[in-house]
Amino acid sequence: MQFSENWLRTMVDPKMTSDELSHLLTMSGLEVEEVEPVAPPFTNVVVAEIREINKHPDADRLNVCQVDVGTGTLLNIVCGAPNVRVGMRVPCAMAGAVLPPGPDGKPFLIKVGKLRGVESQGMLCSARELKLSEDHGGLMDLPSDAPVGQNFRDYYQLNDLKFTIKLTPNKADCLSVLGVAREVSALTGTPLHLPTTKELPVTLTEKLAVKVSAPDLCGRFCGRVIRGVNAKAETPDWMKQRLERSGQRPISALVDISNYVMLELGRPTHVFDLDKIQGGLEVRWGKAGESLKLLNGNTVDVDEWVGVIADEKEIESLAGIMGGDSTAVTLDTQNIYLEAAFWWPSAIQGRARRYNFSTDAAHRFERGVDFENIVEHIERISALIVEICGGSEQVKLGPVDDQIIQLPQRSPVKLRTARAQKVIGVALTDAQIADIFTRLNLQFTHQDGEFLVTPPSYRFDIEIEEDLIEEVARVYGFENIPALPPVAANAMLVAPENQRSLFAIRRLIADQDYQEVINYSFVEEAWEKDFAGNAAPIRVVNPIASQMSVMRTNLLGSLIANARYNLNRKVSRVRIFEMGAVYLRDEAVQDGPLSVAGYHQPKHLAALAYGPVAEEQWGMAARNADFFDVKADLEALFAPLSLKFVKDEHVALHPGRSARIELAGKAIGFIGELHPRLQQKYDLPLAPVVFEVEISALQTVQVPVYQEISKFQAVSRDLALVVKQDIPAQNLADAFAAEIQKNAACHIVQSVTLFDEYRGKGLAEDEKSLAFRFSLQDTQSTLQDDRVEAAMTALTAAAAAQYAAKLR
C-alpha cells in the first residue's frame, strides 16, 4: 500500500514529524517499508508566466521569451521547447538555481549566460528536467491560475513523501488512505476528518435492470445511470498527483476517478459504458465454455467457479476482479453505468491467481470490503464525476439502485480484561480498554471485567477474543509493554537414556558417510504412483506449483530427484539421507495439538547410495555400492539392536533385491535396489540402493546392562548344513536363536555368524550349503568337549527338524 503523506494529513494531521509518523505506523503493525520524497531536491524554481516571444536572430529553433517571475522585472530567457506560447505558465529556474543531477550525476547549476549571442537569465523547465517524470516533449504546462512568483515546490506540493507500508493479510481495512488515517487517529487521538460529499439531486428516473442470481457471490449490489459525461475532460492536477504518488498511472478522467476513490476509501468500483450494455445485467456464476476479453487484453475461459456480470448477450466483467473490454469506457463515452458491490471474500479468493494476474480490486475484495457504506461511496464518485466531467447542468444522475441480498452477520466478540492482562503482560484497566475501543470506533457493551464488541462493517479481521487483544496491544503500544524475563522455573531436563534425539540420529547416519538433504513435503502426483503405488494421494488444495500437488507417503521420490540433480552436474557418487514427515490416511487419528483428524504424520528416515562404495583410492578396488553395503550401514545405525530382513516386494524396488525390515517382529521399513522400470524412466545409468525406516524405531534404544566378561577362553565351531535353495539363511539363524533361548545346553553360545554359502559340485541342483561359525563361552569355567558337543548337536537337530537340514 503506497500513499502520499500530504494526502494522509488532509484526513488526520498529528503533531509529529514524518519520521515519527513512520515509526508510529510500524510499531502499530503497519510496517513502513520505505519513505521516499516525491521529487528530488532542487532550489530557486518558481512559477512564471511567458509574456512575449520573439524568434532568436541566429537560431531557427530557439525563441527569446520575456518571462514574469513575480519580481516586477521581466527576465530574458532563451527557450527551444516546441510548446512554448504567450500566456503559458511554467516552472522557471532562475539564476543560481540548482536542478537535479543530469546523466553525469552532478547537480545542474543555472547561471546567466549567452545562447548564440543572446543573454539568457534562467531556464524554463520540463517535467523531465525537474525529475518529475520522463516526459520531455516540451515545457511543463501549469494551470492558468498558478500564482506567478510562488515557489514551485510549494505550489506543486513537492515537499511531500511517499509512504510504502507492508500490510499483513488481516489488515484489509488499511488498504486505503482512509483506513490508515483511522489507525493514526486511534493511535494519536487526533480528530479524523472524513471526506465529505453532499448528496446531489437526482435528475433522471432511469434505472438499469440488474438481477442478482448468485447470493453466495454478491451480497449487495448498487448501481447508478449517469448521462451526459465528458469523458475527454482533463483529470485535475491534484488528483493526478495523488494517484501517481500512490503508484497509479493516470489514464482518463472516468478511470482516474474510480481509482482515486478506491485508494481514498478502499472501495473498488467499475464504470461501464452504458450504451454498450445489451439489455440488463445479471450477476451470476460463470458457465463452462464461456469466455471474456478483459481490459488488459487477455481472453480468459470462465466456468462455474468464477463469478461474472453479464448482459443479455455476453459476459461483461469478472466479478470483483476486472472489467471486460466490450463495455470499457473510452474518450467517446457519454453515458455510463456506475457499479459498486459487496462480493463475498470466499467467492473472489484464488480466482485472479487462477488466471496468473492480480488486480487491486481482487486484492481488496478477497480480504473483505466495507458492505455498509456502498451508497455513500457511490455518491462520492458521482460528485467527482459531476465536478470533473461536465458540471451539474450537463451531467444527469439517475437514482441509486441498491439491492441488498445477504450481508455478513457481525457477531459480537467477548473480551475478558483478565485474559487481556495475561496475554499482553500489562495490568490494563477496564477504563483503558474502553478508551482504546472507543478510539478504534469499535461499538461495545461493558460489564465488570468483560466487553462485548461488535466489529464495524469494514473490519473482517475481528472474529475471536485474541483479535481484540491484539487491537488493545497495538493501540496501547508494543513499546510500552515491558520486556520482563520469564518467571517460570528453569530446569535443565535430563534426556532419557533409552531415547535418541533426532540430532543424534543425524550424527549417526552422517558418520556412515551420508549427507543430509531437505525437500518439500509436496511432491508430484506421478511420484506417489511410481514410488508408493498410491493412486489416491492426499491432494494440496492450493498448491504452490503444479508439480507439487500432493502430499508424499514416502521419501523415495525426493531422493531420486536429488540423485538425478547431482548426476546431471557430473557428481558420480551420491550418498544422501532425509529425515521428514510422511502423510498417510488413518481414520483412527483424532484432532489434537499436533495431529489432524484422519491423517497420520509419522517421521521417516530414508537414505540412498549411488555409484562407488568409496571415493577412488589406491587401498581398495573400485566397485559400486550394492544391497549388502547399504544393509551394513543400516545395521550399524540400529546397533546394538538386531534387525531382521525378510524377502519382500515393493512397488519401487527390484523384485529379487528387496526386503522388509523388521525389528522385534514389527515391520519398520524396507530396503532394496530401485526397480529397473523406474531406473529407466528416471534416466539413471545405475540402480541406486535405498532404504526407508520409521524414526520412532530408531529413537528407542536399550539401556546398557552390566554383564560379566568371561575370563575363560572361547571355543569356535563351524557347522555346514545342506538345505533346499529356497530356504533363506535367515530362517536357519532364527531356528538357532530359538533353540539357544529355550535350551539350557545352548546358553553357552555367544554368537552365530554365516560365513559361507556354496552351490555347485557335490550338491543337488536344488540344494545349497550354508556354513555358520558358532562362538561358545562360559563365564564360570573352561568349556569341556561334552558341553560343546551337546550344544552343537542340539543346534543341528533344531535345523534338521524345522528345515530338513543335513550335515555336509
Side-chain angles (χ1 to χ4, degrees), residues 736-753:
F736 295 148
E739 186 67 18
I740 293 170
Q741 185 70 25
K742 69 180 181 181
N743 191 337
C746 297
H747 289 174
I748 57 176
V749 178
Q750 302 298 319
S751 65
V752 181
T753 305

Side-chain angles (χ1 to χ4, degrees), residues 50-57 59-60 62-66 76-79 84 86 118:
I50 301 173
R51 293 292 186 86
E52 184 181 338
I53 300 177
N54 296 302
K55 280 293 183 182
H56 193 288
D60 293 338
L62 297 180
N63 296 298
V64 180
C65 306
Q66 300 299 309
N76 195 70
I77 298 179
V78 178
C79 175
V84 63
V86 174
V118 177

Side-chain angles (χ1 to χ4, degrees), residues 315-624:
I315 298 175
E316 303 297 353
S317 174
L318 286 183
I321 299 175
M322 184 182 289
D325 180 69
S326 62
T327 53
V329 294
T330 66
L331 296 181
D332 297 324
T333 297
Q334 295 181 344
N335 306 307
I336 63 172
Y337 182 72
L338 178 61
E339 169 264 313
F342 169 70
W343 308 101
W344 289 98
S346 59
I348 306 299
Q349 290 165 357
R351 273 66 174 184
R353 287 191 294 277
R354 172 182 180 176
Y355 298 115
N356 296 321
F357 64 79
S358 179
T359 64
D360 290 327
H363 186 72
R364 287 163 171 79
F365 280 125
E366 67 185 4
R367 287 161 172 77
V369 173
D370 187 357
F371 54 83
E372 280 191 357
N373 297 324
I374 299 181
V375 175
E376 291 82 348
H377 295 172
I378 286 269
E379 294 290 354
R380 171 67 171 159
I381 299 176
S382 301
L384 290 171
I385 291 174
V386 170
E387 176 186 342
I388 296 170
C389 298
S392 57
E393 295 182 0
Q394 176 183 336
V395 179
K396 306 299 181 184
L397 299 177
V400 176
D401 179 19
D402 182 16
Q403 299 185 45
I404 299 177
I405 299 93
Q406 181 182 357
L407 297 181
Q409 298 298 314
R410 310 306 283 168
S411 302
V413 181
K414 183 171 71 172
L415 178 136
R416 297 161 291 172
T417 303
R419 174 66 177 165
Q421 292 173 347
K422 182 177 181 181
V423 172
I424 300 173
V426 176
L428 296 167
T429 64
D430 283 8
Q432 287 176 297
I433 295 177
D435 176 61
I436 290 172
F437 286 161
T438 302
R439 288 156 60 183
L440 288 170
N441 195 31
L442 300 178
Q443 303 298 319
F444 64 90
T445 58
H446 174 228
Q447 295 180 353
D448 186 26
E450 286 189 0
F451 293 83
L452 203 60
V453 180
T454 302
S457 57
Y458 52 83
R459 294 297 299 269
F460 284 77
D461 59 318
I462 298 178
E463 296 180 340
I464 58 177
E465 185 176 24
E466 282 70 17
D467 296 330
L468 291 175
I469 294 174
E470 179 185 2
E471 294 301 298
V472 172
R474 287 194 317 107
V475 179
Y476 179 78
F478 294 124
E479 292 178 306
N480 298 324
I481 299 175
L484 301 175
V487 296
N490 287 334
M492 295 187 67
L493 302 178
V494 179
E497 286 187 81
N498 64 344
Q499 287 289 319
R500 280 195 188 115
S501 67
L502 296 180
F503 178 77
I505 296 173
R506 283 188 174 91
R507 292 290 298 271
L508 285 172
I509 191 167
D511 288 345
Q512 303 297 324
D513 197 23
Y514 290 84
Q515 295 186 354
E516 184 174 15
V517 294
I518 299 175
N519 295 299
Y520 283 105
S521 297
F522 317 128
V523 298
E524 294 186 34
E525 186 173 355
W527 290 4
E528 277 299 290
K529 185 176 181 180
D530 288 343
F531 299 107
N534 185 7
I538 301 170
R539 299 189 179 278
V540 181
V541 175
N542 188 18
I544 60 177
S546 59
Q547 71 273 19
M548 305 171 78
S549 58
V550 301
M551 305 299 290
R552 63 187 180 183
T553 57
N554 67 31
L555 310 181
L556 291 190
S558 301
L559 293 183
I560 296 298
N562 297 144
R564 290 186 62 199
Y565 181 90
N566 282 274
L567 291 174
N568 291 338
R569 284 152 183 79
K570 307 302 181 183
V571 179
S572 60
R573 181 176 183 267
V574 180
R575 292 172 71 87
I576 53 177
F577 78 93
E578 180 179 5
M579 295 173 61
V582 297
Y583 303 86
L584 312 170
R585 299 183 191 275
D586 187 346
E587 297 301 326
V589 177
Q590 303 297 319
D591 274 326
L594 298 176
S595 62
V596 178
Y599 299 97
H600 183 41
Q601 305 174 53
K603 285 187 178 295
H604 282 194
L605 166 66
L608 175 147
Y610 178 96
V613 69
E615 295 287 356
E616 187 174 2
Q617 56 171 294
W618 61 268
M620 61 183 295
R623 67 177 181 84
N624 293 323

Side-chain angles (χ1 to χ4, degrees), residues 88-103:
M88 185 180 189
R89 300 199 177 185
V90 298
C92 175
M94 298 192 296
V98 179
L99 298 187

